[in-house]
Amino acid sequence: SYLISFSFQQRIEIHKLRQGDNLILGFSIGGGIDQDPTQNPFSEDKTDKGIYVTRVTVGGPAEVAGLQVGDKIMQVNGWDMTMVTHDQARKRLTKRNEEVVRLLVTRQSLQKAVQQSMMS
Amino acid sequence: MSAAMDTESTYSGYSHYSGHSKKAHRQGRDRHKSPRSKDGSRSEKSVTIQTPPAEPLLGNDASRAEEGQDDNWGETTTAITGTSEHSISQEDIARISKDLEDSVGLDCKRYLGLTVAAVLGLLVFLTPIAFILLPQILWRDDLEPCGTVCEGLFISVAFKLLILLIGTWALFFRQPKADLPRVFVFRALLLVLIFLFVFSYWLFYGVRILDSKDTNYQGIVQYAVSLVDALLFIHYLAIVLLELRQLQPTFTVKVVRSTDGESRYYSLGHLSIQRAALVVLENYYRDFTVYNPALLTASKSRAAKHMAGLKVYNVDGPGNNASGQSRAMIAAAARRRDSSHNELYYEEADHERRVRKRRARLVVAVEEAFTHIKRLQAEEQQKAPGEMMDPREAAQAIFPSMARALQKYLRTTRQQQYHSMESILQHLAFCITNNMTPKAFLERYLNPGPTLQYDRDRWFSKQWTLVSEEAVTSGLQDGVVFVLKCLDFSLVVNVKKIPFIKLSEEFIDPKSHKFVLRLQSETSV
């Protein structure tokens, strides 16, 4: 048997949680075109300068919506996130007048493919 | 207090190790108290300074021995130029009469050269004027009238001659600072060139203009102008050959003094050997510390002990086996247990300690003396404002308090001959006049300075001889060695060429210096 890795896209809708004066999403991002891509632990291609999810707070709105650590955020509310700086990404996610953010994320997945053996 | 006195008198046994005593034997470490130091310790207030007597005896002996060596050395050198022979005979003359100015031969040569150059210069200067004036004098009536162009040329000739005069004065009319054995090749060449040049112009003028009584005056004036132009170009050539060519450094010259190994390096351009020797000597008086024969007695006595240590007895009978003897001596010397290195080590450590102690005493004494002066000056200011104390009186007032410490220090460092009491007083008055600190006053005495600092009588080096295997008018080459000898020591000069430097360039992209500091930040949203 051997492992197959593939990526698939997922749409995730997160409803922001109000905490005092802020609206929080409950996860942390890393990456950006102004960051060092070689230090990204989640990317498969070490030149990938996209935005990745580095942490998800337990019980937060992101976890509830199904976001996982290691997801690469491709779009936020229709805005492209593959070629943005770290700060631009943060700004796009934390707009004060938005309560809901719709993310398009890419996730790597490893699946075991079990070879059908003729001999059992 | 007494303990300090004791130690002082103990070590004073070594201070007798001065040049005064020819037999400077050191029999171990004698601890006998010398009477001189006792007197010194008792009478602290009254100080008698004896100006140390000059040492013609020791100096003569040493130089006589060297002269014997020199004569042999001169004969065995293979290629001796005329210079060195001439110079060695001069050395003998100098030994008898200490006045080189008496020798007539050299003066004649120098003045002959000067007069020839002066006469030629005058002739050259007057030639254009003569060219212009002679037609006016001789056949005035036949000449064409001088138009505006011609008169303009007069002005040009006048100014060019003036410029030539100023240039020649600036370049050539200088006090000769040295007497060199051979003539300057370039100067002689230039004089010959000028002579030939002017001669050919006169020849042409005489034949074509004077004989035929040319009436074209403008042409004659233009001819004179062309002469002056050509003279200006020769002047330019003289500047380049005599002044500019040797400015660019091409050789590095190492100068080593033969007696104590002190060495310096100088950079020179393309010079003849005699001119290079002149440069070296000019720098010698400024850079090298003064030659002190008293400092060499230690190594001489050590050498004498080495020689006297072994006596050879010929057991096999009368046979003049000189080489066998020397071989036996060398073998025996190698085998015996020689402890002279031990002696040298302890002696040097001892001497170092003694010098430092005396120096500390001296510095303290001088500082106290100078504060005393300041106090006196302040008092004088308060009593009668505007009335300054005469520095000479002040110097004489404080001199006794530091004289003893100073003299002891000079004795220990063997410099006592170079400073007489009068010179010390003068220097002290000078320092007081110029408001110098004690350290500035002492700078002159703590370390031996360059030869120029001292009185001419103590120089030991006034007459120099250039000894060289190659002709002294030939240029410097890589590997040339020549020696500048004076009566007591010599300077060995070694010439090396500055290496040809191959410099290549490397282009560095400016972008390679730009670093993008990329962080890996994590933001929580």
Side-chain angles (χ1 to χ4, degrees):
Chain A
S1 64
Y2 40 89
L3 296 170
I4 306 174
S5 97
F6 56 92
S7 58
F8 64 90
Q9 291 193 334
Q10 182 132 15
R11 290 189 186 276
I12 294 180
E13 191 174 294
I14 306 179
H15 296 262
K16 290 189 189 177
L17 180 67
R18 184 163 287 280
Q19 245 189 22
D21 207 19
N22 304 324
L23 287 166
I24 61 161
L25 289 155
F27 65 97
S28 301
I29 53 166
I33 53 173
D34 57 338
Q35 305 285 308
D36 188 4
T38 56
Q39 294 187 34
N40 192 341
F42 306 111
S43 59
E44 196 165 281
D45 176 15
K46 288 305 171 191
T47 59
D48 184 8
K49 295 185 180 179
I51 307 290
Y52 280 79
V53 176
T54 53
R55 256 186 302 162
V56 176
T57 46
V58 174
E63 194 190 29
V64 164
L67 195 63
Q68 289 180 12
V69 171
D71 288 350
K72 178 178 174 181
I73 304 177
M74 310 292 284
Q75 288 179 10
V76 171
N77 283 345
W79 292 99
D80 171 56
M81 298 289 266
T82 55
M83 278 284 151
V84 292
T85 64
H86 189 87
D87 210 41
Q88 283 170 343
R90 180 192 59 83
K91 281 188 188 151
R92 295 235 179 99
L93 284 164
T94 54
K95 285 208 180 335
R96 295 180 78 84
N97 47 2
E98 286 175 355
E99 294 242 352
V100 180
V101 283
R102 293 184 180 83
L103 310 175
L104 177 66
V105 302
T106 302
R107 192 173 294 160
Q108 299 274 25
S109 196
L110 291 173
Q111 274 209 346
K112 261 198 207 172
V114 179
Q115 189 181 22
Q116 305 282 352
S117 77
M118 301 308 285
M119 326 230 272
S120 56
Chain B
M1 185 67 172
S2 60
M5 285 300 139
D6 277 345
T7 47
E8 197 188 344
S9 51
T10 303
Y11 287 122
S12 67
Y14 306 138
S15 67
H16 284 296
Y17 197 58
S18 64
H20 287 288
S21 52
K22 264 204 80 174
K23 314 183 193 78
H25 289 322
R26 287 203 48 241
Q27 289 114 13
R29 303 183 144 205
D30 330 354
R31 297 187 173 251
H32 68 275
K33 296 188 196 291
S34 64
R36 199 189 293 182
S37 68
K38 254 203 182 146
D39 280 341
S41 63
R42 251 184 258 137
S43 59
E44 293 257 87
K45 298 295 176 193
S46 67
V47 180
T48 48
I49 310 293
Q50 299 154 356
T51 49
E55 295 184 343
L57 292 170
L58 184 60
N60 267 347
D61 280 345
S63 47
R64 224 177 283 142
E66 272 173 42
E67 193 202 1
Q69 275 182 341
D70 286 347
D71 282 343
N72 289 335
W73 184 84
E75 279 160 8
T76 51
T77 306
T78 46
I80 306 178
T81 67
T83 309
S84 54
E85 279 175 354
H86 180 57
S87 322
I88 289 183
S89 66
Q90 267 185 13
E91 210 177 335
D92 292 354
I93 296 176
R95 184 141 292 297
I96 299 166
S97 72
K98 294 202 175 179
D99 208 352
L100 189 60
E101 282 90 31
D102 286 350
S103 74
V104 180
L106 214 67
D107 258 10
C108 258
K109 197 176 76 172
R110 185 166 22 139
Y111 286 135
L112 185 70
L114 277 178
T115 42
V116 162
V119 162
L120 194 64
L122 203 61
L123 191 74
V124 162
F125 189 71
L126 293 177
T127 300
I129 303 177
F131 283 0
I132 296 178
L133 287 180
L134 276 176
Q136 294 273 0
I137 297 170
L138 292 178
W139 60 93
R140 188 187 215 130
D141 310 318
D142 301 331
L143 275 182
E144 289 170 9
C146 196
T148 29
V149 181
C150 179
E151 277 161 12
L153 288 176
F154 282 153
I155 298 178
S156 135
V157 165
F159 274 104
K160 281 181 186 162
L161 276 179
L162 180 69
I163 290 173
L164 194 62
L165 190 67
I166 295 178
T168 313
W169 168 82
L171 192 60
F172 296 117
F173 285 26
R174 277 183 280 191
Q175 285 270 6
K177 46 183 180 171
D179 226 355
L180 294 177
R182 301 268 169 169
V183 73
F184 270 150
V185 170
F186 282 140
R187 273 197 201 167
L189 269 177
L190 278 169
L191 284 178
V192 166
L193 181 69
I194 291 179
F195 176 71
L196 283 175
F197 177 73
V198 171
F199 181 71
S200 64
Y201 260 74
W202 267 110
L203 203 61
F204 184 86
Y205 186 76
V207 167
R208 297 290 286 273
I209 296 179
L210 280 182
D211 275 353
S212 64
K213 295 213 192 286
D214 197 3
T215 53
N216 180 10
Y217 194 52
Q218 187 175 331
I220 297 176
V221 177
Q222 264 178 340
Y223 183 67
V225 172
S226 80
L227 170 67
V228 181
D229 285 340
L231 284 176
L232 279 172
F233 285 131
I234 291 187
H235 188 258
Y236 156 76
L237 188 68
I239 294 179
V240 165
L241 279 182
L242 296 180
E243 305 281 319
L244 286 184
R245 189 166 167 262
Q246 73 255 28
L247 286 181
Q248 208 173 45
T250 340
F251 296 102
T252 308
V253 148
K254 177 174 182 179
V255 185
V256 183
R257 185 157 59 184
S258 64
T259 47
D260 57 358
E262 188 169 340
S263 64
R264 291 272 188 287
Y265 286 87
Y266 299 113
S267 279
L268 297 177
H270 282 286
L271 288 174
S272 61
I273 291 184
Q274 62 180 1
R275 285 176 85 186
L278 187 63
V279 171
V280 165
L281 282 179
E282 282 168 4
N283 285 327
Y284 167 79
Y285 284 108
R286 182 197 59 181
D287 290 331
F288 279 71
T289 59
V290 66
Y291 168 71
N292 197 348
L295 291 173
L296 305 169
T297 49
S299 54
K300 278 193 185 151
S301 76
R302 264 203 305 279
K305 263 204 281 180
H306 280 308
M307 297 285 283
L310 292 173
K311 295 185 83 162
V312 182
Y313 294 100
N314 209 337
V315 187
D316 295 329
N320 213 357
N321 195 358
S323 63
Q325 259 187 18
S326 54
R327 252 185 280 134
M329 277 186 80
I330 293 171
R335 255 183 259 126
R336 77 169 174 182
R337 283 193 58 179
D338 194 359
S339 64
S340 58
H341 61 275
N342 226 5
E343 221 174 80
L344 173 65
Y345 169 69
Y346 280 115
E347 186 186 320
E348 282 193 346
D350 232 5
H351 184 256
E352 180 72 18
R353 220 165 0 122
R354 218 179 331 136
V355 165
R356 265 194 245 146
K357 209 174 184 185
R358 296 241 165 118
R359 180 200 167 115
R361 285 217 183 108
L362 175 63
V363 169
V364 162
V366 172
E367 279 174 0
E368 279 175 11
F370 269 68
T371 44
H372 186 58
I373 289 246
K374 280 215 175 64
R375 233 180 314 130
L376 277 180
Q377 271 182 344
E379 280 173 11
E380 292 276 327
Q381 284 275 339
Q382 282 175 350
K383 272 194 277 184
E387 198 183 283
M388 297 304 291
M389 201 157 86
D390 183 28
R392 178 85 191 175
E393 287 170 8
Q396 274 167 342
I398 60 169
F399 181 66
S401 61
M402 64 160 119
R404 194 161 144 258
L406 183 59
Q407 199 187 29
K408 278 200 160 163
Y409 181 80
L410 289 179
R411 279 242 176 86
T412 316
T413 51
R414 310 229 172 88
Q415 287 176 297
Q416 72 267 25
Q417 313 168 21
Y418 291 96
H419 304 285
S420 66
M421 181 165 102
E422 183 55 39
S423 77
I424 300 177
L425 273 173
Q426 264 179 8
H427 187 238
L428 191 52
F430 172 79
C431 289
I432 292 172
T433 319
N434 293 323
N435 275 329
M436 291 199 190
T437 58
K439 218 173 177 183
F441 164 71
L442 277 177
E443 166 267 337
R444 195 181 224 211
Y445 303 108
L446 288 179
N447 295 332
T451 317
L452 280 176
Q453 194 179 300
Y454 301 99
D455 199 22
R456 276 192 88 105
D457 306 328
R458 315 275 358 147
W459 274 11
F460 284 107
S461 55
K462 277 178 274 189
Q463 245 153 258
W464 295 90
T465 304
L466 175 56
V467 181
S468 140
E469 284 175 1
E470 305 179 349
V472 296
T473 48
S474 66
L476 289 177
Q477 303 277 338
D478 186 30
V480 158
V481 175
F482 59 93
V483 179
L484 285 159
K485 278 185 0 178
C486 78
L487 297 174
D488 300 291
F489 59 94
S490 55
L491 297 172
V492 181
V493 180
N494 204 340
V495 177
K496 276 201 162 43
K497 201 172 157 80
I498 293 180
F500 179 75
I501 298 174
K502 237 180 130 93
L503 201 59
S504 56
E505 72 164 304
E506 188 180 317
F507 178 70
I508 295 188
D509 193 359
K511 291 198 201 129
S512 69
H513 289 303
K514 298 207 171 131
F515 298 99
V516 178
L517 194 61
R518 275 187 263 174
L519 317 157
Q520 186 63 17
S521 42
E522 199 183 336
T523 321
S524 59
V525 295

